Amino acid sequence: MQHHTPTHHLDPRSPLVLDTRDLPRRPGAMRVVARTVPAPDGLGLELVGVRPGADLVLDLRLESVSEGVLVSGTATGPVEGECGRCLRPISDTVEVPLQELYAYEHSTTDETTDEDEVGRLQGDLIDLEPALRDAVVLSLPNHPLCRDDCPGLCPECGVHRDDLPEGHTHEQGDPRWAALTEFKEE
Ligand SMILES: [Zn+2]
Ligand SMILES: [Zn+2]
């Protein structure tokens, strides 16, 4: 067993820290946490994500289990980004499912698993941010599009294909070659 890395101190007033003091440590005990929090920095990918400070709605259930606290529910927030094909702005809403076990300190789970696999309670506190970050990033598209069939930009002139006439082309060569190209494309 490797030594536990010292955990950083959690601030119980931080919006993404859950306090379980009023949750009895008896399997089956349950508390509901519903709160709107400002989104933390860097919640997303390069092209798409939740703007820092935007309203993130947490709708969570904290449930005592024998080894710790199971947190499940959803986080819902506005997503902004750029279309990967045409660079037009995208705005959307994501609802991300969350389900994460946080083991009690010195429980069997605490002693036998790695912190990367199972989260830990720190005293009575849970740091929700890492799980939230993972869940949001997983839910976002790697290649965000303004719409599924976005035709993108003409690589020659950079104009959106929506704004160009059908069959728009910059090819000028011999018309016989053009005919041959068309033939090959079919
Ligand atoms: Zn697009
Ligand atoms: Zn063009």
Side-chain angles (χ1 to χ4, degrees), residues 82-90 144-153 160 162:
E82 237 174 40
C83 176
R85 286 191 196 143
C86 72
L87 311 179
R88 281 180 177 169
I90 297 175
L145 296 176
C146 60
R147 60 174 206 261
D148 285 345
D149 62 346
C150 172
L153 307 176
H160 200 290
D162 278 353

Side-chain angles (χ1 to χ4, degrees), residues 153-175:
L153 307 176
C154 169
E156 294 287 325
C157 63
V159 173
H160 200 290
R161 289 197 191 275
D162 278 353
D163 302 330
L164 292 169
E166 188 134 352
H168 166 82
T169 174
H170 295 263
E171 284 184 28
Q172 288 179 350
D174 188 319

Side-chain angles (χ1 to χ4, degrees), residues 61-128:
R61 211 173 61 170
L62 276 54
E63 190 182 346
S64 279
V65 294
S66 56
E67 291 289 300
V69 175
L70 182 67
V71 176
S72 55
T74 58
T76 307
V79 162
E80 290 173 8
E82 237 174 40
C83 176
R85 286 191 196 143
C86 72
L87 311 179
R88 281 180 177 169
I90 297 175
S91 62
D92 202 353
T93 302
V94 281
E95 184 183 291
V96 179
L98 291 167
Q99 187 169 55
E100 192 83 7
L101 174 68
Y102 296 89
Y104 294 133
E105 287 168 321
H106 313 300
S107 63
T108 311
T109 304
D110 182 25
E111 306 294 345
T112 58
T113 62
D114 204 53
E115 271 185 70
D116 296 341
E117 306 164 54
V118 181
R120 297 289 191 271
L121 276 121
Q122 297 181 34
D124 290 316
L125 302 178
I126 287 172
D127 181 10
L128 189 66

